[in-house]
């Protein structure tokens, strides 16, 4: 066990080793207690806190994993830039009332390279799957490992990574945990100005942070516009309005069926229609993702 906050004494437990966490959870389960898991890559913010609080409310114990998973980064620079702060993460987790942090090393999680291949088309191959080859394979590798290690009753994922939830749901069925593990989808948490909370926001400069809320502003405005315009017109307006902001550049915007994640051509094609966007912000640039529901 590791106490990670210097002179601040943690009441919760922090585990680095799989065996230690499993021994602890064995005792928890022996008492008939339920286990909630909140998988994270650290750099925790209020969005994560909302997942943790929900798990604490719905389970007897909550495990928060803090692991920056290298296998889901197709861009090395993105991995190197990713913010890390385990001390602050532990404080936030404890403040939310969770009992355990699981913070393994890369060696502990992957004693050997993970050669498993997961593909769940179309959910894993469109949008983020197409733009970030290997990304969802890496997510499935680490999430399946976490599920095997923790054996949670419920696992909590934020709707900000909306496509990820669709992929993880396919994964859970694929690995035979569909009947014992519930995937709990939690609403996106936004800053006061509408920017979706993300660990990557801390990498934005002051100027970039000031323009980033335009993404959600345009998405929100497009809901009204969509009522009297076609899917194609709505798509084109969102792309044009965001690209018109100096410093923002749309990578993709797709209006899709919320279940299959395949493009819709007309609003009548589905009862569940979502617009998913990825935007490059600033010079570095920082890649921001968001989405809006047109029909739910
Ligand atoms: O959403 C994330 O932060 C990551 O993709 C996850 C689910 C923790 C897996 O590394």
């Amino acid at each position: 066990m590791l106490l990670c906050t210097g002179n601040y004494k943690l009441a919760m437990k922090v585990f680095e080793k799989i065996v230690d966490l499993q021994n602890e959870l064995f005792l928890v389960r022996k008492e008939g207690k339920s286990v909630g898991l909140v998988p994270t890559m650290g750099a925790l913010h209020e969005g994560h806190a909302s997942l943790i609080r929900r798990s604490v409310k719905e389970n007897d114990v909550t495990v928060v994993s803090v692991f920056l998973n290298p296998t889901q980064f197709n861009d090395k620079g993105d991995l190197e830039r990713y913010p890390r702060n385990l001390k602050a993460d532990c404080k936030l987790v404890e403040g939310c009332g969770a009992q355990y942090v699981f913070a393994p090393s890369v060696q502990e999680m992957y004693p050997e390279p993970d050669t498993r291949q997961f593909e769940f088309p179309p959910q894993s191959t469109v949008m983020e799957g197409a733009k970030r080859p290997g990304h969802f394979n890496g997510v499935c590798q680490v999430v399946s490992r976490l599920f095997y290690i923790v054996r949670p009753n419920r696992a909590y994922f934020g709707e900000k990574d909306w496509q990820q939830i669709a992929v993880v749901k396919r994964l859970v069925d694929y690995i035979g945990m569909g009947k014992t593990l519930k995937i709990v989808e939690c609403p996106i948490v936004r800053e006061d100005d509408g920017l979706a909370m993300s660990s990557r926001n801390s990498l934005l400069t002051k100027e970039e942070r000031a323009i980033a809320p335009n993404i959600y502003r345009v998405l929100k405005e497009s809901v009204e516009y969509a009522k009297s315009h076609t899917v194609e017109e709505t798509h084109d307006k969102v792309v044009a309005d965001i690209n018109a902001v100096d410093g923002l550049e749309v990578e993709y915007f797709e209006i899709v069926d919320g279940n299959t994640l395949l493009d819709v051509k007309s609003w009548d094609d589905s009862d569940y229609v979502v617009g998913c966007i990825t935007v490059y912000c600033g010079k570095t640039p920082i890649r921001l993702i968001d989405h809006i529901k047109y029909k739910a």
Side-chain angles (χ1 to χ4, degrees), residues 39-41 69 72 142 157 161 164:
T40 82
M41 296 202 296
N69 174 38
Q72 71 188 75
V142 75
F157 292 85
D161 296 303
Q164 174 169 272

Side-chain angles (χ1 to χ4, degrees), residues 147 151-155 172 175 177-183:
F147 288 168
R151 298 260 156 196
N153 301 84
R154 297 179 192 83
V172 169
I175 61 177
M177 290 189 173
K179 298 241 170 352
T180 52
L181 164 57
K182 184 172 162 44
I183 301 301

Side-chain angles (χ1 to χ4, degrees), residues 17-281:
K17 298 286 176 214
I18 294 170
V19 66
D20 294 338
L21 175 68
Q22 286 186 322
N23 285 340
E24 179 84 14
L25 292 178
F26 175 77
L27 299 175
V28 164
R29 271 198 215 87
K30 222 169 125 189
E31 290 176 21
K33 291 182 173 167
S34 60
V35 179
L37 169 68
V38 184
T40 82
M41 296 202 296
L44 304 184
H45 50 68
E46 195 44 41
H48 296 109
S50 73
L51 308 184
I52 300 168
R53 284 193 211 103
R54 176 134 178 217
S55 174
V56 167
K57 214 163 119 193
E58 296 179 353
N59 300 280
D60 295 314
V61 304
T62 290
V63 179
V64 179
S65 61
V66 177
F67 179 66
L68 189 51
N69 174 38
T71 73
Q72 71 188 75
F73 285 82
N74 57 327
D75 171 354
K76 281 264 170 305
D78 193 21
L79 174 61
E80 274 154 26
R81 277 194 302 275
Y82 205 88
R84 303 154 206 243
N85 192 344
L86 184 58
K87 282 185 188 177
D89 291 344
C90 289
K91 278 196 175 182
L92 181 140
V93 172
E94 190 178 58
C96 293
Q99 289 77 5
Y100 307 116
V101 163
F102 176 49
S105 64
V106 173
Q107 176 63 23
E108 180 72 6
M109 278 302 265
Y110 298 108
E112 286 185 33
D114 194 333
T115 54
R116 294 173 302 159
Q117 291 292 323
F118 296 93
E119 208 166 277
F120 301 114
Q123 285 87 352
S124 71
T125 50
V126 297
M127 299 189 287
E128 290 299 282
K131 296 291 179 196
R132 301 178 68 189
H135 168 65
F136 283 127
N137 189 50
V139 169
C140 290
Q141 287 174 342
V142 75
V143 168
S144 60
R145 274 168 193 260
L146 290 168
F147 288 168
Y148 292 135
I149 293 166
V150 176
R151 298 260 156 196
N153 301 84
R154 297 179 192 83
Y156 295 77
F157 292 85
E159 274 194 352
K160 187 190 139 281
D161 296 303
W162 187 78
Q163 188 177 357
Q164 174 169 272
I165 295 182
V167 173
V168 168
K169 282 181 169 170
R170 295 277 311 271
L171 170 73
V172 169
D173 286 336
Y174 179 77
I175 61 177
M177 290 189 173
K179 298 241 170 352
T180 52
L181 164 57
K182 184 172 162 44
I183 301 301
V184 184
E185 302 171 38
C186 303
I188 199 162
V189 180
R190 297 184 179 279
E191 301 285 357
D192 289 345
D193 57 15
L195 179 64
M197 285 198 186
S198 162
S199 304
R200 286 193 170 83
N201 292 354
S202 66
L203 302 173
L204 297 169
T205 64
K206 209 166 149 229
E207 292 72 28
E208 291 163 353
R209 176 64 189 80
I211 56 170
N214 283 295
I215 302 167
Y216 186 55
R217 175 186 61 76
V218 171
L219 288 178
K220 228 170 42 179
E221 285 169 9
S222 76
V223 174
E224 198 49 40
Y225 183 86
K227 289 180 185 159
S228 53
H229 294 82
T230 65
V231 169
E232 193 180 343
E233 286 164 344
T234 306
H235 169 275
D236 292 352
K237 181 167 166 54
V238 166
V239 174
D241 286 358
I242 292 182
N243 283 344
V245 178
D246 195 22
L248 295 184
E249 196 190 334
V250 175
E251 183 186 31
Y252 69 78
F253 177 54
E254 292 194 22
I255 300 180
V256 299
D257 175 289
N259 293 313
T260 65
L261 309 198
L262 293 173
D263 284 352
V264 296
K265 301 277 171 270
S266 141
W267 298 118
D268 295 331
D269 283 356
S270 168
D271 292 334
Y272 184 18
V273 181
V274 183
C276 301
I277 198 157
T278 298
V279 178
Y280 287 112
C281 180

